[in-house]
Amino acid sequence: MWRRYLMWFAHEHIDFRFQEIQSIIKLFDIPIRYVEKPCTNKPYWIVEVPSEEHVKLIASRSVLLKNCIELWSRAKTGARLHSNLKQALMNKSGKWIVGERSDKDSSELDICPGELISSCCSSDISYKVHVETFCNHFSMKEKVDKIEKFCYLPLNGSVNLKKPDITLAYIEFYGIDCNNVPEEPYDLFFGKWVADGQRDLIQAHSLKKRKFIGNTSMDAQLSLIMANQAQVSNGHIILDPFVGSGSLFIAAAHFGAYVWGSDIDYMMLHARTRPTRCGQKVRTKEENIRSNMKHYGSESKYLDVIVSDFSLPMWRSDLKFDAIVTDPPYGVREPTEKIGIERDNYSLSEEHLEHHVPSKVEYGLPQLYSDLLNFAARHLELHRRLICWYPVVRSDYSDEELPSHPCLELVANSEQVLSKLTARRLLTYEKIKDYTSDVHIDKSMVMPNFREKYFAMGEISRREKKERRAEEIAQTLRMKSQKNLLKRE
Ligand SMILES: C[S@@+](CC[C@H](N)C(=O)[O-])C[C@H]1O[C@@H](n2cnc3c(N)ncnc32)[C@H](O)[C@@H]1O
């Protein structure tokens, strides 16, 4: 018998929710049926999976999932919720009895198998009931009143609020607009708590508590989402070719991967850049990527980091990675550079060779992404993934501008809005074919340069603000002089 579950999500990074869960169910090969089509204006889904183990596996990885409840009743009114539960007590069929659908998406008339409830009723099973309200607040007394309405359930065990054998959950959903809360909830749920998602990891990995961070360190939640998108598993070897302070390592190593990285910035890899934390004057000795890994108990997963320019490949041609997870520079908070020189026919004399520090030139984003996709096509294992961020100007964005490669299929594309004008998209590519030498990136697909547009937009908005301010001042002066004129008259 397939079980029905309520999956409750954090109401943030909504565009990443479906893709994160899809990646996880594909990783564990979990069959899933959506009782209602997942949508973005509700923080919950109702799904069916073959067993509780499946839902626990999903919860063991997802950071966007708050918890999973084995659903016993769901309705649009309290009366219906209770009447469904009472009918369920008599449902001996061992299956959900699917009610007539009042509308296409509603499962509020469905009656759960009675055995789900009876299996929790024996006298040696202690329990507690947890009341949760989304977008509304109730006092303890009101919550207890709500709990007492379930007194007809034949729960014979004792109540144990500290360490119960089972937790029953009652949830009222009042919508997502906290400024416009209805009198009655839109949706009500009752069931047995099964598992929590990995939200605690966000705190545990928080940048605030991390020893070594840089200006562009990726926050813990997004790093974990990236590792899930990459379907990182125990023993995988992953690469971050723009590794910076190594934030993506922490998440990948947490899920069991060995991590390699490279970056052009010697100072960053040796933790000699200016401290990022407010008030800190100098970096301490312990500030480096290895210390971070040690702090999280993942030192054994740390392979190494290498100072290297990504535009000049250094890896053995037959080396393969299980995933490439990276956040390339966008040229806004850090330069996009590669080794090079603008002058033609430049040559270096023998005497300068030893101490020569090579100069750098602009590494345009079209070239960088083209290199990245080609690299992934060569160095990923077949059916493995490249996960990378891609900056966009929101008003100009269209899917057509995304970099593409015949060996890579774009399987997920989620937007994180950065400002009114800009966003970045988390792109997930899967390698679908072996690399052959005659594979080229289609130049017509290469995107326009984000950096130029970003700064051009900054210029425009600065100019607009200046003009608006000048207009406001002129207006105030006009009004003042009119008042003075009137006074004189
Ligand atoms: C957005 S940051 C990465 C931040 C990193 N994910 C972290 O959590 O700290 C981009 C990094 O790319 C590096 N970079 C820029 N140009 C490069 C190049 N040509 N080759 C390798 N790394 C480069 C920068 O030094 C910077 O550390």
Side-chain angles (χ1 to χ4, degrees):
M1 182 186 76
W2 282 48
R3 301 275 179 113
R4 189 173 289 193
Y5 295 93
L6 174 70
M7 294 174 75
W8 205 276
F9 293 93
H11 204 58
E12 59 177 333
H13 295 312
I14 297 167
D15 205 30
F16 296 73
R17 191 182 286 163
F18 186 73
Q19 307 298 354
E20 192 204 30
I21 299 295
Q22 279 300 112
S23 298
I24 297 169
I25 61 177
K26 205 169 165 212
L27 168 67
F28 294 121
D29 201 14
I30 298 175
I32 193 162
R33 291 201 290 244
Y34 295 101
V35 175
E36 285 177 10
K37 208 164 166 255
C39 64
T40 50
N41 57 2
K42 291 176 188 171
Y44 55 84
W45 297 353
I46 300 177
V47 303
E48 287 182 340
V49 290
S51 79
E52 190 167 296
E53 291 322 305
H54 288 109
V55 94
K56 282 184 171 162
L57 269 178
I58 298 174
S60 73
R61 288 293 296 248
S62 173
V63 267
L64 291 175
L65 182 70
K66 280 176 94 174
N67 48 46
C68 286
I69 312 287
E70 180 186 84
L71 201 57
W72 291 1
S73 184
R74 178 271 175 97
K76 305 281 178 201
T77 64
R80 167 63 66 192
L81 183 95
H82 288 287
S83 113
N84 283 358
L85 262 182
K86 286 175 188 165
Q87 287 185 59
L89 292 172
M90 293 174 292
N91 174 9
K92 308 280 181 239
S93 70
K95 292 191 266 192
W96 277 85
I97 300 172
V98 177
E100 247 177 57
R101 294 283 189 254
S102 48
D103 67 69
K104 215 166 67 206
D105 275 345
S106 171
S107 60
E108 69 161 343
L109 300 173
D110 297 355
I111 308 296
C112 88
E115 68 189 46
L116 295 185
I117 306 175
S118 59
S119 66
C120 297
C121 290
S122 92
S123 57
D124 58 344
I125 299 179
S126 64
Y127 71 93
K128 79 168 180 185
V129 183
H130 176 74
V131 179
E132 178 106 15
T133 51
F134 193 90
C135 226
N136 206 344
H137 183 75
F138 290 95
S139 66
M140 191 48 85
K141 159 97 184 49
E142 287 168 315
K143 286 187 177 177
V144 172
D145 289 347
K146 286 174 192 291
I147 292 174
E148 275 175 0
K149 291 200 176 129
F150 292 92
C151 61
Y152 55 86
L153 288 176
L155 299 162
N156 296 310
S158 54
V159 173
N160 182 340
L161 297 181
K162 280 203 175 135
K163 227 176 155 216
D165 294 322
I166 58 163
T167 299
L168 301 175
Y170 171 55
I171 305 172
E172 292 182 351
F173 174 65
Y174 288 83
I176 51 172
D177 181 0
C178 291
N179 296 318
N180 204 357
V181 180
E183 277 294 306
E184 296 298 328
Y186 291 118
D187 233 345
L188 301 93
F189 307 90
F190 189 79
K192 186 182 76 168
W193 172 89
V194 173
D196 284 332
Q198 299 302 308
R199 305 284 302 157
D200 287 352
L201 277 180
I202 300 168
Q203 281 312 312
H205 286 191
S206 164
L207 292 181
K208 285 187 193 147
K209 298 181 212 150
R210 197 169 294 172
K211 280 195 168 107
F212 174 47
I213 55 168
N215 278 345
T216 53
S217 292
M218 183 63 64
D219 84 54
Q221 179 161 206
L222 291 169
S223 304
L224 288 157
I225 292 173
M226 289 173 81
N228 276 332
Q229 289 293 116
Q231 300 177 319
V232 166
S233 298
N234 241 344
H236 275 181
I237 296 185
I238 73 132
L239 173 75
D240 179 354
F242 301 96
V243 70
S245 64
S247 318
L248 305 180
F249 279 7
I250 308 294
H254 176 81
F255 293 129
Y258 292 95
V259 290
W260 269 118
S262 62
D263 198 292
I264 199 170
D265 190 346
Y266 174 97
M267 300 295 267
M268 172 57 86
L269 292 192
H270 290 83
R272 300 215 194 137
T273 50
R274 273 231 310 265
T276 308
R277 285 205 167 83
C278 200
Q280 187 182 346
K281 295 232 160 56
V282 280
R283 290 214 184 253
T284 63
K285 260 191 180 166
E286 299 79 54
E287 282 185 67
N288 55 54
I289 297 178
R290 188 186 282 279
S291 301
N292 280 351
M293 299 292 286
K294 207 169 172 181
H295 174 76
Y296 294 107
S298 304
E299 200 185 1
S300 64
K301 302 285 185 221
Y302 179 64
L303 295 176
D304 213 343
V305 291
I306 300 149
V307 180
S308 145
D309 174 2
F310 183 66
S311 72
L312 303 168
M314 59 159 181
W315 301 96
R316 239 176 43 203
S317 62
D318 59 346
L319 181 68
K320 294 277 191 286
F321 298 100
D322 293 300
I324 297 167
V325 184
T326 197
D327 179 23
Y330 319 141
V332 175
R333 281 194 289 170
E334 74 291 79
T336 42
E337 292 174 331
K338 59 178 183 170
I339 307 289
I341 190 152
E342 306 283 5
R343 270 186 284 158
D344 290 335
N345 305 325
Y346 177 78
S347 70
L348 200 62
S349 62
E350 277 291 323
E351 58 174 314
H352 290 125
L353 256 181
E354 197 182 338
H355 301 291
H356 174 69
V357 177
S359 64
K360 292 179 188 150
V361 293
E362 165 83 18
Y363 192 10
L365 291 189
Q367 188 57 51
L368 186 155
Y369 279 91
S370 155
D371 289 349
L372 183 59
L373 266 66
N374 269 322
F375 182 86
R378 277 174 206 262
H379 288 282
L380 273 178
E381 294 282 2
L382 199 58
H383 305 305
R384 299 278 192 224
R385 291 177 165 195
L386 160 69
I387 318 297
C388 61
W389 289 97
Y390 178 88
V392 296
V393 174
R394 292 175 70 197
S395 55
D396 287 4
Y397 172 74
S398 93
D399 287 352
E400 275 79 62
E401 82 175 60
L402 295 178
S404 67
H405 191 288
C407 293
L408 303 172
E409 184 186 356
L410 183 69
V411 291
N413 169 7
S414 311
E415 183 190 43
Q416 183 197 17
V417 174
L418 299 175
S419 70
K420 231 165 93 183
L421 302 170
T422 59
R424 58 180 176 179
R425 306 191 77 94
L426 185 63
L427 305 180
T428 304
Y429 295 90
E430 200 163 290
K431 181 164 166 180
I432 48 168
K433 286 193 237 170
D434 276 324
Y435 180 86
T436 50
S437 53
D438 57 350
V439 172
H440 299 289
I441 290 224
D442 181 352
K443 289 281 179 211
S444 66
M445 300 293 281
V446 167
M447 67 167 182
N449 203 334
F450 171 79
R451 186 173 182 271
E452 278 157 26
K453 283 194 173 178
Y454 180 91
F455 285 113
M457 271 178 344
E459 237 347 276
I460 291 166
S461 68
R462 264 196 299 279
R463 205 183 320 132
E464 274 172 0
K465 268 189 210 155
K466 240 179 171 176
E467 281 169 8
R468 227 180 297 139
R469 184 84 195 109
E471 178 53 32
E472 278 166 14
I473 293 169
Q475 177 96 9
T476 320
L477 289 176
R478 272 199 299 274
M479 277 163 64
K480 269 189 184 164
S481 68
Q482 266 176 2
K483 267 188 199 164
N484 287 341
L485 271 177
L486 281 172
K487 263 189 204 164
R488 261 185 252 152
E489 279 171 10

